[in-house]
Amino acid sequence: MLLRDIAHSRAGDKGDISNISVIAYDLKDYALLEKHLTTERVKAHFAGVVQGDVVRYELPHLGALNFVMQHALGGGVTRSLALDAHGKSLSGAMLSITLPERK
């Protein structure tokens, strides 16, 4: 199952930091997100893009996880030579992470 099957995302960027929230469509799927969407998994998914730390903030009452990724935008949106590498593109890429099927 793809992450996009059970969640949507919102993103923002400032300088060289990308901020991506993943929000479960249904609160019952939050536990699955919390278990499988780790900082290590997100950093591995963005290998070659995210050069710094990834910090995860948990918002269980909202059914959301927020990831702050340092050194993720090639020096910043206005400095990067990458095509459309800012937050919104990364949030779409985040939703392609594969999760185990619900039980």
Side-chain angles (χ1 to χ4, degrees):
M1 166 174 68
L2 292 177
L3 179 56
R4 76 178 75 254
D5 295 331
I6 63 168
H8 62 100
S9 63
R10 299 284 299 165
D13 51 73
K14 190 60 124 180
D16 201 14
I17 300 168
S18 181
N19 178 12
I20 301 175
S21 292
V22 176
I23 307 111
Y25 292 125
D26 189 321
L27 212 50
K28 71 178 185 205
D29 289 323
Y30 175 75
L32 186 68
L33 296 179
E34 187 178 35
K35 180 177 181 180
H36 295 286
L37 208 55
T38 63
T39 56
E40 295 82 14
R41 181 93 188 267
V42 169
K43 182 146 181 160
H45 185 70
F46 288 112
V49 175
V50 176
Q51 303 300 317
D53 293 334
V54 175
V55 177
R56 181 178 91 169
Y57 297 94
E58 299 167 2
L59 302 134
H61 289 38
L62 298 176
L65 298 173
N66 184 55
F67 294 89
V68 177
M69 303 183 297
Q70 303 286 331
H71 305 292
L73 302 172
V77 173
T78 59
R79 295 184 58 189
S80 175
L81 297 177
L83 180 63
D84 201 20
H86 52 285
K88 290 172 186 57
S89 296
L90 295 180
S91 69
M94 173 91 79
L95 293 176
S96 68
I97 291 176
T98 304
L99 300 173
E101 293 292 327
R102 293 184 196 105
K103 293 186 183 208

